[in-house]
Amino acid sequence: FVFYMLNPNSKGIVIGTHDGTTGEWVKHVKNKSTFAVLVEASKKQFDELVENYLNFDNVLFRNNVITGKGGDVEFYEFGSGLTNTISESHYKSHVEDNEKVVIVKMSSVGINDLIIEENLQHNLDWLHLDTESIDDEIIMSLDFNKINKPKLIVFETINFSEERLGNSERIDKLFDWLRFNGYKVKYDYWNSFAFLH
């Protein structure tokens, strides 16, 4: 994450912040080396996020579900909220027996709309995703006719690996899309990185 340190005036968006206590982006936002729009879908975690970053003037908050295209979704909330998701297969593979699941009907915001609404369509330096199994859908919905390409995209790949049980078809499709659009990709089991080169 040298990128952040070399670009003290960088601007980014974090989608899926939880309460803001974990993630590669946290220290960079807390030391104010970057500006960030912090997006969390779950109300409980969103309220905790706002509480944790109340005194930071380099953040904005959004309590939204973000998807590729926008539209109405069912959002599954359970456990500590770390794996809340709109993916039914994802929640079913993570929920414990007899664990209470709350299904919240929500109107989602499309990724391009989010970027434009935050006036970052020309100067979004980085995008960090932790959306519990829809990171690829969101990334491949980026419309570079409407927005400039973010210089760095950080996204979760562990869920693709788990879902495909060794079948890399989904990761391959995403990485091919990223490379086609001018990104160099660094794969890591948990989180992967794509940066313009």
Side-chain angles (χ1 to χ4, degrees):
F1 273 79
V2 175
F3 175 84
Y4 292 104
M5 290 172 266
L6 295 178
N7 294 273
N9 299 313
S10 67
K11 295 178 179 177
I13 297 176
V14 185
I15 301 172
T17 60
H18 193 62
D19 62 6
T21 56
T22 60
E24 295 85 353
W25 57 274
V26 171
K27 70 178 179 182
H28 305 287
V29 169
K30 286 193 168 179
N31 71 19
K32 299 192 175 184
S33 63
T34 187
F35 165 84
V37 178
L38 306 179
V39 186
E40 172 55 39
S42 300
K43 184 71 170 84
K44 178 180 182 291
Q45 284 76 30
F46 177 78
D47 290 344
E48 292 167 354
L49 172 74
V50 171
E51 184 70 27
N52 288 332
Y53 288 84
L54 208 51
N55 299 318
F56 288 82
D57 58 5
N58 58 321
V59 298
L60 292 175
F61 304 102
R62 290 195 56 150
N63 183 203
N64 295 110
V65 172
I66 306 302
T67 55
K69 306 290 183 197
D72 295 338
V73 295
E74 289 187 338
F75 190 68
Y76 303 96
E77 298 186 328
F78 55 96
S80 68
L82 280 169
T83 49
N84 291 350
T85 182
I86 67 166
S87 167
E88 187 175 5
S89 63
H90 181 78
Y91 111 73
K92 286 184 173 174
S93 68
H94 284 77
V95 72
E96 301 288 330
D97 290 339
N98 301 320
E99 191 171 20
K100 183 182 177 196
V101 177
V102 177
I103 302 172
V104 184
K105 292 189 184 299
M106 301 177 82
S107 181
S108 73
V109 176
I111 183 61
N112 298 294
D113 293 333
L114 169 70
I115 293 167
I116 292 166
E117 285 170 16
E118 294 301 332
N119 200 27
L120 291 170
Q121 65 269 33
H122 303 301
N123 58 349
L124 179 62
D125 295 300
W126 57 271
L127 180 62
H128 187 293
L129 297 128
D130 186 355
T131 62
E132 302 306 317
S133 201
I134 64 162
D135 290 22
D136 55 342
E137 174 201 326
I138 291 173
I139 291 168
M140 291 188 293
S141 296
L142 291 168
D143 184 346
F144 300 130
N145 293 313
K146 294 180 177 177
I147 64 164
N148 289 354
K149 295 174 181 176
K151 297 177 189 79
L152 171 70
I153 304 173
V154 183
F155 52 98
E156 204 173 49
T157 36
I158 187 171
N159 292 313
F160 304 169
S161 306
E162 283 179 354
E163 276 184 19
R164 295 295 178 169
L165 300 174
N167 181 345
S168 62
E169 175 188 333
R170 199 168 155 190
I171 291 176
D172 289 348
K173 184 178 177 187
L174 172 58
F175 283 18
D176 286 348
W177 185 93
L178 285 162
R179 289 185 187 109
F180 177 80
N181 281 287
Y183 286 90
K184 186 169 184 177
V185 184
K186 172 81 172 89
Y187 172 78
D188 188 277
Y189 174 70
W190 199 282
N191 281 329
S192 294
F193 308 84
F195 47 95
L196 286 176
H197 67 103

